[in-house]
Amino acid sequence: MPHVAVLALLAAYPALYHTLVETLTLYEAEVLLPSVDTMTSVLYFGLFAMSFDFISGYTGYLSFGHAAFYGTGAYTVILIANGAVPLLPTSTPFMVSLLVGGVFAVLLAIVIGLVSFRLSGVYFAMITLGFAQVLYVFVRGWDYVASNPRDGPSVGGTHPSGFDIGIPGVDPFNIGIGVLAGEEAALLGHTLSSTAVSYYMIGLVVLVCYFAMQRIIHSPFGRVMIAIRENEERAVAIGYNTYLYKLAAFAISGFFGAVAGGLFAGFRRSATPESSFYFLTTGDALLASIIGGFGTLAGPLYGWLFDETIREFLSKSGQGGGLLPYLRAGLGEETLATPVIGDMTLGGLVNTLLNGHASLYVGVVFVLFVLYVPDGLLGTVRQRVGGTLADVARARFRDQQPTPDRPGGDEE
Amino acid sequence: MIVETLLDFLTVSELGSVFFEGLAKASLYVLIASGLTLIFGLMGVLNFAHGSLTMVGAYLGGLVMVLTVTQASGTVARLAFFFLAILLVFGALTMLGGAIETTIIRPLYDRPPIYQILLTFGLTLVIDEIVRIVLSIYGMQPLSDWQAALATKPQFLREPAALGPIDVRWLAVFEILIGVLTVVATWAFLTKTRYGLYIRAGSEDTEMAAALGVDVRRVFTVVFALGIGLAGVAGTLLMWDKVWGASVPLAAETLLPAFIVVIVGGLGTFRGTVAASLVVGMTDAVMTWWFVNYIRFTGLPELMLFLVLVVTLIVRPQGLFGVEEVGGH
């Protein structure tokens, strides 16, 4: 049930946003709601955060170099589009290059995992960080990937159209995405803008990946992952080869991380080493997982949505919505010109405190979550209702009370 | 060609200057990492905010220098002000560290250690942004080095020095000096004072130390505060080095090498940190020489540092001097 509700809300979002902001020109809605463009990035980055949570939240091994997989996916997609990958022409369908990126990431995860899973705890976090940083420094200096590797590659002239999401070879299913080069589509008499099309198409891939990961978590394989997190020695004692399980989980997680990176590159049509391979990209996934709920698969998506909403609300500097233009318009010229501290006017202070400093507030929120809401948004909700939402809703429907002693928060 | 470059490298003057550069880099690394290792050794907290606090130290040190040094100040005066800056920054950051420990780290001791790591990670975001805001109020560029602070360097530290056939920089000699002084001071504090004894006892066995009457809680606060203070000292020194310089990205630039050093040395062992600083510093210096002279790959030294980390963890997961149980979480 909650799945359906969330999906319906997400599906209705572009229309809702369009209606509130453009048809009714509701200024407050524009200030508060993230734009559809931002929501698209919430979807693909949410997928990356989920893939991070898949390994870190469920097996307890903090994969601090997870950005390596995101970057692998992103770079693969762009390099294939530019014809820089041998054997794969520029005309390779986007879905195929996504999968190729995923396979590269699986291979990479196996190489990294073979070495890293001999360690645990901080040491595991550090060795994965080490591998990812080696890759980061490498792609930043390797002039094969881009003429200026520091700025990262972007899709060149050999690949002018948007990337198509759909079944390769079946034309009607292929719909182009891309922040500038996407397609428009007609649906029930309405024309969907290219932004909305990208949003739905990327959302579709994210949805498939989410259910795939959820299926794995709920399978016996996923139970072993949780057993490893709860007590690895006992899992070994029962007879599981935890090393292989961890390695497999890491590879799966790497695959979905790369798909997320591929979607990011396909939508943005460029990638930078900082936005893909850098360790702070992993940090963002960590942030999303903690705020959303560590060890809840859907949590990171909500966490990142929360995070991006704050960022957009606080840091838009001029165009579109956000708090800053709202204050500028609402307070009036004279109020803004009043000096507050020394020479600084109120307007200057507001500018200084709000313009581009969303990380500060995100950081404060993060610290508060670690201190006071350790289970995150979704985890806390689950604890309050006593079980996963799906179970509770199902039980209510059958007019039954959910079993009260059920430990919540660590499943699904 | 390889033979030629190798012969070029293996001359007394080249090897000597690379060796000195390596020592200088090792001094900087030991400075930025020793606070981290102190905190980890006793408390098991891998402090992600360490780089940010080093950066704060660089700005505070720069501030003291810019306020005190005038155009007319001579070499002696500038050096005196520098040592004053080190003392002031050490004091200020020690207090800040104490405040951080008592207010936000302390409530987390009952939780799994991952939460302390996460908390310090959140702290970096907050500190970096606050510094950015302060800088933008004063109209300074957060991304580029603070030139006014760099300009307070005495003249002789900008000049090359010649020790026999070996070319070195006076700044490198100066950095080695400060590094050695700090290592000796920390080592003496840990081994010769009663408080150092508490700290060593606490890191061996917290419960036993508490049972024997050591106020472990206060020891934690002191160690965290001192660790942060050391980060400040490192920052003050880095402010004068134009390879580093006071800027907001310094936070990440110092955090990652500091991690490499503490992990390679063995988490929580001061001896290991010193040894690893030498390994990492020498690697850095040698790779920088090859990069400057023959191998044109951007980021070669950085790449090699992370490879040192990875190889160490593969060959000897507990680090050079680490004990396997330390920090097993």
Side-chain angles (χ1 to χ4, degrees), chain A residues 48-358:
Chain A
F48 174 59
M50 278 183 212
S51 80
F52 168 79
D53 193 37
F54 183 86
I55 183 75
S56 303
Y58 282 91
T59 66
Y61 278 75
L62 201 59
S63 169
F64 218 80
H66 218 66
F69 308 125
Y70 192 66
T72 303
Y75 271 60
T76 308
V77 164
I78 295 182
L79 292 185
I80 290 178
N82 287 342
V85 178
L87 302 178
L88 290 166
T90 52
S91 57
T92 308
F94 179 53
M95 291 307 274
V96 174
S97 45
L98 265 189
L99 288 178
V100 171
V103 171
F104 282 162
V106 166
L107 296 177
L108 182 67
I110 289 174
V111 172
I112 296 179
L114 275 175
V115 179
S116 308
F117 278 112
R118 299 189 306 147
L119 309 167
S120 63
V122 170
Y123 294 92
F124 178 80
M126 283 301 125
I127 195 168
T128 46
L129 172 73
F131 275 114
Q133 284 297 112
V134 167
L135 282 173
Y136 162 73
V137 178
F138 188 69
V139 299
R140 208 181 48 164
W142 194 28
D143 47 17
Y144 180 75
V145 296
S147 56
N148 186 356
R150 246 167 215 284
D151 292 339
S154 56
V155 179
T158 50
H159 191 98
S161 62
F163 291 97
D164 292 341
I165 283 182
I167 302 162
V170 186
D171 274 342
F173 287 136
N174 278 311
I175 296 169
I177 59 159
V179 71
L180 291 172
E183 273 179 15
E184 295 191 340
L187 188 80
L188 304 174
H190 293 282
T191 313
L192 291 177
S193 68
S194 58
T195 332
V197 168
S198 300
Y199 171 80
Y200 284 120
M201 289 299 111
I202 287 175
L204 204 63
V205 179
V206 172
L207 187 71
V208 170
C209 292
Y210 168 71
F211 279 120
M213 281 194 273
Q214 203 207 27
R215 191 69 227 111
I216 298 169
I217 298 280
H218 283 286
S219 70
F221 180 86
R223 297 284 122 184
V224 180
M225 284 169 64
I226 293 170
I228 289 171
R229 179 186 69 191
E230 296 302 324
N231 192 333
E232 187 165 354
E233 282 172 17
R234 201 175 285 176
V236 173
I238 300 171
Y240 288 112
N241 185 343
T242 55
Y243 185 73
L244 285 182
Y245 275 92
K246 288 184 286 187
L247 199 57
F250 196 51
I252 293 167
S253 151
F255 178 84
F256 290 112
V259 169
L263 289 174
F264 151 69
F267 180 60
R268 293 278 163 212
R269 297 173 67 81
S270 66
T272 62
E274 267 67 32
S275 67
S276 53
F277 280 99
Y278 198 42
F279 82 109
L280 288 179
T281 309
T282 312
D284 282 339
L286 179 73
L287 234 65
S289 302
I290 294 300
I291 294 178
F294 212 49
T296 59
L297 191 58
L301 181 71
Y302 301 125
W304 191 245
L305 174 63
F306 186 81
D307 198 294
E308 279 288 279
T309 311
I310 296 184
R311 274 176 210 269
E312 176 153 329
F313 178 63
L314 287 172
S315 76
K316 273 236 177 151
S317 53
Q319 85 285 12
L323 187 60
L324 187 60
Y326 183 73
L327 283 181
R328 276 197 198 130
L331 290 176
E333 288 289 320
E334 273 180 44
T335 332
L336 286 176
T338 356
V340 268
I341 314 169
D343 290 340
M344 182 159 274
T345 61
L346 182 63
L349 187 71
V350 167
N351 233 342
T352 313
L353 288 180
L354 294 179
N355 199 354
H357 294 297

Side-chain angles (χ1 to χ4, degrees), chain A residues 118 122 140 357 366 370-371, chain B residues 111 118 129 302 314 317 329:
Chain A
R118 299 189 306 147
V122 170
R140 208 181 48 164
H357 294 297
F366 177 81
V370 172
L371 281 170
Chain B
R111 299 242 206 107
L118 294 175
E129 277 321 304
E302 212 183 336
I314 293 171
H329 46 245

